[in-house]
Every structure is written in C-alpha cells, then in structure tokens.
Amino acid sequence: MRPLDLPGNGVEAVRNLIRSLRRKGLDYPVLSLEGSFPERTPPRRAPFPLSMLPLFPSELSLEEMARIGELIRGDGRVAGVIFRFGSLRAGPPTRHTLRRMVQQLRSAGKHTVAWVPLAATWDLYLASACDEIIVPPSGRLYALGLRSQALFLKETLAMAGIQADLESIAEYKVTPDMFRRSTMTEPHRAMLDAILDSHFEELIGAIAEARGMERGAVQDLIDAMPMGPEDGLEAGLIDAVLYEDELPDHLAGTASEEEEKEEEAREDQGEPPVAVIPWERAGRWLHHPLRWTTRQRIGVISVEGMIVPGESRRMPSPFPLPMEAQAGAETLVRLLRQAEADARMAALILHVDSPGGSSLASDLIWREVVRLRRKKPVVVLMGERAASGGYYVAAPASRIVARPTTLTGSIGIWGGKVVLRELYEKLRVGYQDVQRGSRADLYSEARPFSDEERAQVRGELGEAYRRFKQIVAQGRGMTEEEVEAIARGRVWTGEQAREVGLVDELGDFQTALAAAKELAELDPEKDYTVVQLTPPGPPIAPRPFPANDGSGGAAWEMLRDLARERVWAMAPWQLRVRG
C-alpha cells in the first residue's frame, strides 16, 4: 500500500456508499458484444479533437471486460447478465476468452443469457457458455461450419504483365503462394485440413458439453444448417424464442422465491418485474473494489500488427484494416529496455498478436527479450496470431501461453521480388540500365532471377531459416532436428502447438498473470499492480495519409521499409478460419 492510494480509495469508498443506496433496478445489466475486443485497452486512435469524432470510436477490450466481470461478480444486487450479440468481429481465440468470462460469471451464481438475433458458427460457440440462448422469432441460426479459403493471383497478375519471382523455405511456408501459384499445394492443403480439424474439435466439443449433447448430434445439426429458431429450440440448441422486450417477463419466471416476492412488490408499484438496463447505466451503480498500488509490479508490452523496422504506428481508421497496427522494432526495443531497467517490475507479460513481417526487425526485438529474460521472467501471451516473426520474438520467453485456436508457428522464411518486364512492354515503357557491380541488378524488377542468382537467393533464405531454427531450439530447449520436424513453415493452432512443444499451456491473460507471479516467486493470491508500457505520445502515424512531399503515407513507408529488406518472416495472409 502506498500513501498516494489513500485519497483515491477514500473517494471510491464514499462513492460505493452512495451506490449502495440504490437497492433495486440492477437485476440484469445488458452487455453488447460488438467490435473486435482487443486484448488490452487500446491507446487513443487519434489526437484530440479528432478523438471526439464518431469516426474514431473506442472499442471495449478484453481487459475492460475482465474488469466488468469482476464488478458484476462482486455485487449481490445483480442477478445475472444479458449478452446482446451485435456486430462481433472477434476471432475464435478472443471468443474463447469471452467464453471463459461467461463461465466465471456462472460459477459466481449469476444467471447468464445470450440474446442472439443471428447466430453464426462462432456466435453459437460463445453463446453456448450461457445458461440460456434466446433468439427472436425473426432470427436465424447460421452455424454452417468452418472453412478456410486460399486465394491465388498468379494468373490475374500475369494478365497485367506482373510476375511474382518469390522463393520460400520450406514447403509449408505458403505466404507467397497467393502471388506465385494458381492452385494449392498438397502441404498447403494438409496444413489447412489440420487447422480446421483442430478448430472444429474445439467448436463441437464446447457446444456439446455446454448443451448436454453428443458430439455427433451437434455435428449433424451443423450439417443441417441454416435453421429457424423453432427448429433450433426443438433440437436443443437454444432455450427460448423471444423478442428483446419480452426478456423481463421471461427472466421473472426464473427467479427464486425471495426474488419473486421483490418482483410482486414491483408489479404492485407498476414497475417491470425484472430490471433490464444497459451497462452504461448499471455500471455507475455497482460497487468498485478498492485498488492498492504494490511496490512490485508486473509489466505488459504488446507486439501488435506487422513487425516492421522503425517506430510502432497505428493507422487512424474507422475500419479494421490488415495493416492498421505496426509493431516497430525501435519502439519495442525501447520499451523492453525500459522494463529491464525498472527495478520494481518483477516480471513482464509480452502480448504477441502478429503475423510477423521483417526478419531483421524480429531479430532485434528477439535480442531484447533474451536480455530481459536474464534479469526477470518473461511470459508470452499469444492473441489471434503469433506466427513467423511473431513466434520468433516469443521463442525465448520463460513461458508461452496461447488460446486453443491461436494460429502460431510458421517457422520459415521467404523472399524475392516482383518482375514487371511484361507490364513495361504492354505499356511501352522503355528502360535502360547503367550499373557498377555485377550483382547491382539482382533485385531489379525488369527481369526474373537467373539460375545462379536464384541459388544465391535461396542460400540467403536458407541461412535465415537456419538461424530461425536455432532461435527456437535455444528458446524451447530442443535440438535443431526436433525443431525441423515441426518447423518447415507450418502453421499450428494453439492446441497443436502445445502438443508439439511450441507452447507451454493454454489460457488467457489471467493464465499468463498467474505464470508471471509463479516465475517471479510472488504471492499467487495477491493482486499486484499491472502496468501497460506504451511509447510516449499518441500512437498515430505522423503521416496517416499521402504527404505532399512525395514520400507517401505511413502505410507506404511501412511497405517501402519491408521491401528494402529481402528476407521476410511473415505468416500467410489467408489462413483464416471462417464460420
């Protein structure tokens, strides 16, 4: 406890006393499930006053959801929670964490209800954790199963006179296949089949256990989709067919005897039997626990987005873009050194949600993680993806935690160039070169590699691949032969990665926090201060849009920096499991 905590906690204690005066009307807060739910509370997406515009809304994070769950579990006036499903863009790993939060509420005696207008596959996965699933009469169940689609642009690029002259190591490193092939290779298909099998097992098993059904029965119902709410009710996938305004009367029927007496008193006063209110109102009246700052603390650093040289950036966009976040090596090196120098920081949680990117930038970040681990424990928490360069920076951690459906691994390398010779000919573009040095035009876009040059490029990629395997072997306590058996560019789910030794355990932020306490020899029952380390200043690209000086915007700068480096540790773009 620090003296500076006393004034703030004193004010909070008074507020809790005022909150206690409200004895009713908090029965069922409504939590809207919308957006992507980032792991940690995101920094400001735009500087003031742009941050006030509706174009840059703030998203609810898993960190904030954990805090909300804590408030609800600790307040006896709350009977349960209604989860109102909306435009939920979160991937399977994030939904796994949300599912665990629902289960914690149920364990605390709170009645949980999912109101789902349209239930897609992963919506049903999350909703099944609740005590009840309710669908409106006009709703539908679209749990159609899972698929992963690979796109191939070789022929499309050829129509424009563009050729992707790219090489990769090894056969599962299919990142460049989108541009250099017309069909899927057998290793590519085998990898996708294994990922889908793992995800489908997680999906079917979770729904079957939650709904008290056999796995085969759940799969048969998925094969019979789509279906209406009445059919879903008959099949046992949902519990009721109701409009949202009918929920208070329905929930009144599930109340205990003591609660029924309170409901009768409300009805006599002309009030609804059960109070159903938005979280924005309910949250103001719940008791907030007092927080005490501890001397020892646990830090958190996030590696989010494409790993690139230079500074971290976040594009100020109202839409989710593949390159919205960029994990800059220079920024992360500074933050890791800051964590190393902080004597009060007992351990660090490194949150990695990245498909990789620059091999050089990944290596520079890796070096700082190695240095930090020599002084204090480093626990990696994997998000949606921690693959290729994302796994590179995670490999030296003291412990690695992943979700069952996290995509990780992809230990491989690729590189090359794009050839525009035929495009130049079609556009009648003339060009002539003057050079010094026999290899000055090695990466010229005007021609493909010669056989000799291709051998040299593959040799460079092979050397980077060998270093990648050495990094993994050193971090995971394996031989290079053992790493080779599970590397070769293959992407694994978190469940599979644990089986092959790339991940230590499955879980979420609380799992990583418990591991950090254990490794730092801290009291496992004590709440320690958790500090998110962020670079100073707004994390917005200095030139989010094309600049007038001809240098282009931040996205162009990132692509230019990546192009300057000819060896990339980047996972496939199209390895997404849709449902």
Side-chain angles (χ1 to χ4, degrees):
M1 181 182 73
R2 304 183 68 191
L4 291 177
D5 292 330
L6 292 174
N9 279 332
V11 172
E12 197 65 71
V14 173
R15 288 176 176 173
N16 281 337
L17 182 61
I18 296 173
R19 291 166 182 143
S20 299
L21 299 178
R22 180 161 180 166
R23 299 292 183 182
K24 58 184 180 180
L26 296 173
D27 297 338
Y28 280 86
V30 179
L31 287 174
S32 294
L33 297 181
E34 297 181 317
S36 61
F37 283 93
E39 183 74 44
R40 308 295 293 170
T41 302
R44 292 183 294 118
R45 295 171 63 89
F48 183 83
L50 292 179
S51 58
M52 305 300 293
L53 297 177
L55 288 176
F56 304 103
S58 59
E59 281 194 299
L60 198 63
S61 66
L62 293 179
E63 177 187 8
E64 291 169 309
M65 281 294 288
R67 182 186 62 82
I68 290 172
E70 181 184 10
L71 295 181
I72 292 173
R73 292 194 304 270
D75 200 312
R77 296 170 297 175
V78 178
V81 183
I82 297 173
F83 293 95
R84 189 183 189 281
F85 281 63
S87 179
L88 186 56
R89 302 191 307 272
T94 300
R95 293 178 193 241
H96 175 265
T97 297
L98 291 171
R99 204 172 187 280
R100 290 187 63 171
M101 292 179 182
V102 174
Q103 292 168 335
Q104 289 173 348
L105 288 170
R106 292 183 65 175
S107 298
K110 306 300 181 182
H111 186 70
T112 55
V113 179
W115 190 76
V116 194
L118 294 173
T121 305
W122 289 111
D123 292 332
L124 186 60
Y125 167 80
L126 174 54
S128 67
C130 294
D131 292 289
E132 290 188 274
I133 302 176
I134 300 176
V135 177
S138 54
R140 298 287 287 175
L141 300 179
Y142 285 104
L144 304 175
L146 305 178
R147 69 184 180 94
S148 182
Q149 184 181 68
L151 299 179
F152 299 97
L153 304 177
K154 177 182 177 180
E155 304 302 329
T156 305
L157 295 174
M159 292 173 62
I162 300 173
Q163 174 191 352
D165 198 359
L166 303 171
E167 295 289 334
S168 64
I169 299 178
E171 70 270 23
Y172 292 103
K173 195 66 176 179
V174 298
T175 310
D177 283 9
M178 177 193 296
F179 308 105
R180 66 177 180 176
R181 298 190 187 280
S182 302
T183 58
M184 193 182 295
T185 63
E186 283 305 314
H188 191 168
R189 183 176 295 278
M191 180 170 64
L192 287 182
D193 278 336
I195 291 172
L196 284 173
D197 284 343
S198 180
H199 281 198
F200 203 54
E201 281 296 311
E202 167 71 16
L203 174 75
I204 295 294
I207 295 174
E209 181 180 2
R211 303 301 299 177
M213 304 171 70
E214 296 293 330
R215 286 174 176 256
V218 174
Q219 184 164 346
D220 289 341
L221 289 171
I222 287 178
D223 291 340
M225 293 284 176
M227 65 175 60
E230 295 296 341
D231 292 334
L233 181 63
E234 183 179 353
L237 283 177
I238 66 174
D239 300 283
V241 181
L242 299 168
Y243 286 107
E244 194 172 7
D245 62 277
E246 296 177 299
L247 291 178
D249 289 332
H250 170 75
L251 294 172
T254 64
S256 63
E257 292 184 8
E258 183 177 344
E259 290 171 334
E260 286 178 356
K261 293 179 181 179
E262 294 181 4
E263 291 165 7
E264 290 175 0
R266 290 180 186 173
E267 289 178 343
D268 292 340
Q269 298 174 8
E271 299 177 4
V274 171
V276 175
I277 59 175
W279 169 253
E280 290 73 17
R281 287 168 49 199
R284 294 196 293 266
W285 291 99
L286 297 189
H287 295 138
H288 289 229
L290 304 184
R291 302 291 186 188
W292 302 100
T293 304
T294 57
R295 175 167 178 74
Q296 290 178 297
R297 54 188 188 174
I298 296 172
V300 180
I301 293 177
S302 291
V303 181
E304 294 182 285
M306 196 80 71
I307 297 177
V308 298
E311 301 291 338
S312 295
R313 295 183 177 121
R314 185 176 292 273
M315 300 297 182
S317 168
F319 309 105
L321 300 175
M323 296 184 295
E324 179 184 2
Q326 301 169 21
E330 291 184 17
T331 301
L332 288 163
V333 165
R334 287 201 308 273
L335 292 178
L336 288 164
R337 289 181 180 175
Q338 179 182 334
E340 180 186 3
D342 190 341
R344 293 178 54 200
M345 192 169 293
L348 178 80
I349 297 175
L350 187 66
H351 166 233
V352 182
D353 195 342
S354 170
S358 162
S359 177
L360 173 60
S362 300
D363 190 64
L364 296 177
I365 298 169
W366 165 84
R367 173 61 181 171
E368 296 305 319
V369 177
V370 170
R371 282 167 41 86
L372 179 60
R373 184 185 169 179
R374 292 171 182 168
K375 292 190 174 182
K376 57 193 71 176
V378 178
V379 177
V380 161
L381 172 64
M382 293 181 169
E384 298 282 331
R385 288 190 294 180
S388 204
Y391 191 82
Y392 196 115
V393 304
S398 312
R399 190 169 299 176
I400 299 178
V401 178
R403 275 81 170 186
T405 49
T406 294
L407 294 180
T408 187
S410 192
I411 301 167
I413 296 291
W414 66 282
K417 63 180 179 179
V418 175
V419 179
L420 306 178
R421 180 172 62 187
E422 292 186 17
L423 176 61
Y424 289 167
E425 291 174 356
K426 288 184 178 184
L427 299 177
R428 298 186 180 182
V429 174
Y431 54 89
Q432 291 181 316
D433 290 336
V434 178
Q435 69 182 56
R436 297 293 184 273
S438 60
R439 293 291 174 81
D441 62 343
L442 178 62
Y443 287 100
S444 169
E445 81 284 0
R447 61 175 181 82
F449 294 122
S450 67
D451 292 342
E452 180 184 358
E453 290 169 338
R454 193 175 306 280
Q456 181 179 10
V457 169
R458 287 194 63 82
E460 185 180 8
L461 296 177
E463 183 58 37
Y465 178 55
R466 282 189 291 273
R467 174 161 177 76
F468 198 162
K469 290 191 295 181
Q470 291 170 357
I471 293 298
V472 176
Q474 177 184 336
R476 301 303 297 167
M478 297 178 173
T479 65
E480 289 190 41
E481 291 73 20
E482 290 173 330
V483 174
E484 172 67 12
I486 57 177
R488 308 191 68 78
R490 180 159 186 166
V491 178
W492 305 90
T493 66
E495 181 70 56
Q496 295 167 337
R498 183 181 62 168
E499 294 172 1
V500 300
L502 292 176
V503 163
D504 294 300
E505 58 184 310
L506 303 178
D508 52 20
F509 185 82
Q510 294 304 315
T511 310
L513 187 60
K517 292 180 185 179
E518 174 195 337
L519 294 170
E521 300 182 351
L522 301 176
D523 185 350
E525 302 300 324
K526 184 176 179 179
D527 289 331
Y528 290 88
T529 302
V530 176
V531 180
Q532 178 85 33
L533 279 70
T534 57
I540 299 298
R543 290 196 297 272
F545 305 106
N548 294 328
D549 59 4
S551 62
W556 170 250
E557 290 181 10
M558 184 270 287
L559 293 173
R560 183 189 62 193
D561 289 342
L562 283 176
R564 186 183 299 119
E565 184 180 342
R566 302 297 181 175
V567 179
W568 301 298
M570 192 183 305
W573 288 275
Q574 292 298 322
L575 275 185
R576 299 191 184 96
V577 178
R578 300 174 175 86

